[in-house]
Amino acid sequence: MKKLILSALIVLSVFNFKATAQKKAPAEAVKVVIDLSQVKDDKLMVTLTPPKLMTNDIVFHIPKTVPGTYSYDNYGKLVDDLKAFDKTGKELTTTKTDDNSWKITNAKTLAKITYWVNDTYDSEKGSGFGKEDIFSPAGSNIEDGKNFMLNNHCFIGYFDDKKEITYDVTIKHPASLFGATSMVDTNKSDTVDHFIAARYFDLVDNPIMYAKPDYETFTVDGMEILFSVYSPNGTHTAKSLLPYLEKTMRAQKAFLGSINTNKRYTVLLYLSDMQKSDAKGFGALEHHTSTTVCFPELMQADGLGEQIKDVVSHEFFHTVTPLSIHSKEIQYFDYNDPKMSKHLWMYEGVTEYFANLFQVNQGLIDADEFYQRMVGKIKNASEMNDTMPFTEMSANVLVQPYKDQYLNVYEKGALIGMCIDIIIREKSNGERGILDLMKKLSKEYGPSKPFNDEELFAKITALTYPEVGEFLNTYVAGKTPIPYDVYFAKMGVNKTKIMVPMNPFLKDPSTPYITINPDTKEIVVIPGSGLNEFMNTLGLKGGDIIVAINDKPYNLDTIYDMIMESQNWEIDDPISVKIKRDGKEQTINGKVKLAMQEEEGYNMSDTAKAKLNVAWLKG
């Protein structure tokens, strides 16, 4: 793993990234061996050696759920042929008690457990959010000699009452594969990696992706970042995508300041080959010092880069909450009978708010764009149950009817964070905001000191103002919908009508101007669809086939990229459209003209509060 033929500079960078390590596992440890060179029927064998056990019977578990997923996924269903043996090799009796648990008798003599593990990517059927699918960033991949996505909860289990002891993990692998992770490899061999995790949570919290080396490293304010990419057909590289990630993370670190003290962070990007059975649940899953990301490989670089920027920015802010500020339900997470915290409004909502606020704070977007993003969240939240108490939904999010409301954590949850930020800004005359609150909570608690769920509101009120406590009790724990106009007005922002450009390929969200020829995968302008200003200005006609725009070819596989790229077009931007008309190709050059439509929005209109508004968005 470390003996790669690389320049001295890159080798030094990797060695610096892996700066410290616990050299030896304590006497009481769970030892695990996985050999990536021995794949059988698309499965890997796990050999697990327990510490000395003092009970006649013990239960071994693979997680039912893991932090950050908010769903029952039953990872134990991936396990086949689990067997237990004593030190003489005699097989002990095991009884499967549910999808994720095995009872082992005569456990005092247990010497090892062996079992085979299936992966998830090549069996996914839908988006990863369906009943049958595990969300891909929380799943696994076994592709012999090419890629192994090891989300460790998919492969390694735990014993009852033994989650807090050390895990000593050895992974054997082909020399051609590099294991990207934030864990520290203490073995100098290029075919054996050795990791020590202080407890089961730390093992689950540190995914590993093995693939042919394709990674970049950079340092931001004392944090070393490893960006590793697996692109099965070589379409994308870490080097080509790095500018999107680096620009975002530099801005995030500048925004957070001293609140984030991580010394290393790893981004694992798995790109799915949509022409095969592969990952289908696109997005990311956060960890203390890393994030796993899945997207389709067929996306073009610009569209993929923008998606990486958005999802990684959200996941990176999770290093603040819940990873540094969290309740006992998270600190002592029960993987097979989880008790959920009441505070998803903070874990996901404030995180999503930060993912938008930092962009206007660091000049990546302007104030109007920020307002419109919040307007979009208000619209999306209005389609959810606006009278369901957020704390109640959060504590019961794994079951219906609360489970169906989960996506509101990214909508109303972010708006809750915004309103708290506004209250603090107003009461402190712009000197403090919600980031200051998160810094104080992080100092009060931190990664290893959880809070009691019932005490958080009182603690936040003590650190801020009574008005914040009133807001939390009325709008977060209560059933009352939030009057967003009131809070916007505190910052001089008021409701108005604004003109926004329409998408050049969509008449409305459900009516496109273009379609796909199923036989050729070509993008076709729909005849008789009453073309819009964009198409009429360029002289496009019904039946024209769009071959390329600005020298980028498009078809069924990349139509999503075309739509997303068009969102960045500005009126009067130069544009070149290659079309096929009546079987002949031609290129049309012109300027972008977009039809405008009136929408409800917000803008800064109260100049008396201009200073407060600047403190909110730029402070």
Side-chain angles (χ1 to χ4, degrees):
M1 178 174 167
K2 296 193 194 112
K3 296 178 182 176
L4 300 172
I5 307 302
L6 299 169
S7 72
L9 181 61
I10 295 180
V11 171
L12 179 61
S13 175
V14 174
F15 274 45
N16 285 342
F17 189 85
K18 299 181 170 188
T20 59
Q22 185 176 351
K23 297 296 182 185
K24 244 171 139 181
E28 186 178 44
V30 176
K31 295 185 177 181
V32 181
V33 177
I34 303 174
D35 190 345
L36 306 186
S37 300
Q38 301 297 320
V39 178
K40 180 181 177 182
D41 298 328
D42 203 32
K43 302 174 190 176
L44 285 173
M45 174 173 275
V46 177
T47 301
L48 188 146
T49 303
K52 185 173 179 59
L53 302 175
M54 305 304 295
T55 58
N56 289 325
D57 296 331
I58 198 164
V59 178
F60 178 74
H61 301 280
I62 298 290
K64 181 178 185 177
T65 186
V66 292
T69 57
Y70 310 108
S71 61
Y72 291 135
D73 292 314
N74 297 305
Y75 296 95
K77 288 184 176 182
L78 302 172
V79 171
D80 288 339
D81 198 25
L82 184 143
K83 295 179 180 179
F85 302 92
D86 67 15
K87 63 182 180 181
T88 69
K90 179 182 176 182
E91 187 172 349
L92 303 177
T93 301
T94 60
T95 305
K96 191 170 185 178
T97 56
D98 60 37
D99 284 338
N100 309 289
S101 306
W102 292 260
K103 181 180 178 181
I104 302 170
T105 59
N106 201 14
K108 288 182 180 180
T109 68
L110 178 64
K112 70 175 181 179
I113 296 172
T114 64
Y115 52 89
W116 292 91
V117 182
N118 295 278
D119 61 351
T120 69
Y121 286 3
D122 58 10
S123 62
E124 292 182 12
K125 298 177 176 63
S127 66
F129 293 102
K131 293 181 180 179
E132 297 182 6
D133 284 348
I134 290 171
F135 182 44
S136 300
S140 57
N141 190 50
I142 299 172
E143 192 170 1
D144 194 4
K146 295 182 178 180
N147 176 270
F148 297 87
M149 176 61 84
L150 303 185
N151 271 303
N152 290 315
H153 55 264
C154 296
F155 295 89
I156 303 171
Y158 63 92
F159 295 99
D160 273 343
D161 303 321
K162 296 291 184 181
K163 293 197 297 289
E164 297 302 309
I165 67 173
T166 299
Y167 272 71
D168 180 337
V169 180
T170 297
I171 299 179
K172 302 174 183 179
H173 62 89
S176 59
L177 301 185
F178 169 75
T181 181
S182 284
M183 287 195 291
V184 178
D185 172 25
T186 66
N187 191 306
K188 294 182 179 181
S189 166
D190 61 357
T191 58
V192 179
D193 297 342
H194 181 237
F195 304 109
I196 300 294
R199 60 185 184 125
Y200 185 69
F201 179 90
D202 294 331
L203 182 65
V204 170
D205 195 44
N206 282 281
I208 316 168
M209 184 173 75
Y210 284 89
K212 179 182 177 182
D214 181 12
Y215 62 86
E216 297 288 334
T217 62
F218 61 98
T219 301
V220 180
D221 193 23
M223 177 189 291
E224 292 188 80
I225 297 163
L226 172 65
F227 178 39
S228 182
V229 174
Y230 175 65
S231 181
N233 298 299
T235 306
H236 302 282
T237 65
K239 184 176 182 179
S240 67
L241 296 171
L242 180 65
Y244 301 96
L245 179 69
E246 186 171 359
K247 180 180 180 181
T248 299
M249 296 195 75
R250 290 192 183 283
Q252 287 182 278
K253 280 289 288 179
F255 173 77
L256 286 174
S258 62
I259 195 171
N260 186 303
T261 58
N262 282 345
K263 296 303 180 186
R264 62 177 66 90
Y265 196 82
T266 302
V267 178
L268 305 176
L269 174 60
Y270 180 94
L271 297 174
S272 174
D273 186 343
M274 301 301 288
Q275 307 302 317
K276 301 177 181 178
S277 296
D278 207 345
K280 294 182 176 64
F282 302 127
L285 181 66
E286 79 278 1
H287 301 278
H288 275 81
T289 59
S290 62
T291 185
T292 50
V293 187
C294 288
F295 280 116
E297 186 184 38
L298 56 78
M299 294 180 69
Q300 293 203 5
D302 288 347
L304 179 58
E306 290 301 314
Q307 290 298 308
I308 291 170
K309 183 177 73 173
D310 286 344
V311 301
V312 173
S313 65
H314 177 95
E315 304 308 330
F316 183 70
F317 280 123
H318 273 305
T319 59
V320 179
T321 175
L323 300 179
S324 291
I325 308 166
H326 54 257
S327 70
K328 290 181 177 178
E329 286 80 3
I330 292 175
Q331 178 75 13
Y332 308 111
F333 192 81
D334 189 330
Y335 297 90
N336 285 75
D337 186 20
K339 308 297 185 295
M340 305 307 289
S341 170
K342 293 182 176 181
H343 299 297
L344 272 175
W345 68 270
M346 184 175 73
Y347 306 143
E348 293 291 348
V350 170
T351 297
E352 177 67 8
Y353 175 60
F354 279 163
N356 287 275
L357 180 65
F358 98 94
Q359 295 190 51
V360 66
N361 179 274
Q362 295 295 308
L364 302 182
I365 61 173
D366 62 21
D368 288 338
E369 169 67 15
F370 174 76
Y371 301 147
Q372 285 311 107
R373 290 186 180 195
M374 295 301 107
V375 168
K377 291 187 179 298
I378 292 172
K379 290 179 180 178
N380 293 339
S382 69
E383 297 175 1
M384 309 294 282
N385 186 340
D386 204 23
T387 61
M388 178 182 285
F390 229 75
T391 50
E392 182 181 323
M393 180 273 286
S394 180
N396 298 283
V397 70
L398 294 173
V399 299
Q400 298 293 9
Y402 308 99
K403 185 176 181 178
D404 283 344
Q405 299 298 310
Y406 167 70
L407 290 179
N408 212 14
V409 301
Y410 304 108
E411 311 299 344
K412 187 174 181 178
L415 296 165
I416 288 170
M418 181 189 74
C419 292
I420 293 172
D421 194 18
I422 287 172
I423 295 170
I424 297 172
R425 286 290 177 191
E426 181 189 43
K427 301 303 294 183
S428 67
N429 293 318
E431 293 183 5
R432 294 184 299 279
I434 195 169
L435 181 59
D436 177 75
L437 169 62
M438 292 298 113
K439 288 179 179 178
K440 289 177 178 176
L441 287 172
S442 183
K443 186 176 180 180
E444 176 82 16
Y445 298 107
S448 301
K449 181 184 176 183
F451 59 77
N452 291 318
D453 238 31
E454 302 299 333
E455 298 174 358
L456 182 62
F457 281 3
K459 174 61 69 174
I460 289 175
T461 304
L463 292 174
T464 56
Y465 302 95
E467 289 81 358
V468 174
E470 292 170 9
F471 176 89
L472 289 168
N473 287 313
T474 302
Y475 301 114
V476 182
K479 297 182 177 182
T480 308
I482 300 172
Y484 298 108
D485 291 358
V486 172
Y487 291 94
F488 271 122
K490 292 176 183 293
M491 297 294 108
V493 178
N494 295 289
K495 188 177 290 185
T496 185
K497 295 292 184 181
I498 61 172
M499 300 301 293
V500 297
M502 298 176 66
N503 187 284
F505 302 111
L506 301 175
K507 184 178 295 186
D508 57 57
S510 61
T511 310
Y513 287 108
I514 53 178
T515 188
I516 295 292
N517 182 324
D519 297 324
T520 64
K521 294 188 175 182
E522 293 172 320
I523 301 171
V524 183
V525 178
I526 299 174
S529 57
L531 302 185
N532 60 10
E533 186 172 355
F534 169 77
M535 294 182 174
N536 285 328
T537 300
L538 291 173
L540 296 180
K541 298 180 180 180
D544 284 349
I545 296 168
I546 297 176
V547 177
I549 298 178
N550 293 334
D551 296 324
K552 291 183 180 180
Y554 292 106
N555 59 18
L556 169 63
D557 295 333
T558 54
I559 190 171
Y560 174 81
D561 289 320
M562 187 179 81
I563 299 294
M564 294 303 295
E565 181 67 23
S566 71
Q567 304 281 49
N568 299 320
W569 294 346
E570 300 285 347
I571 292 175
D572 288 334
D573 278 351
I575 190 169
S576 171
V577 182
K578 180 183 289 187
I579 64 169
K580 188 187 295 181
R581 180 181 294 168
D582 299 327
K584 296 180 180 180
E585 286 192 358
Q586 60 178 285
T587 299
I588 300 172
N589 296 306
K591 292 185 176 182
V592 172
K593 299 295 181 184
L594 300 173
M596 307 296 287
Q597 63 181 358
E598 188 177 72
E599 287 188 359
E600 188 175 89
Y602 290 85
N603 65 13
M604 173 63 191
S605 57
D606 187 348
T607 56
K609 296 181 179 178
K611 185 177 179 180
L612 198 56
N613 183 275
V614 170
W616 172 37
L617 299 183
K618 297 293 184 179

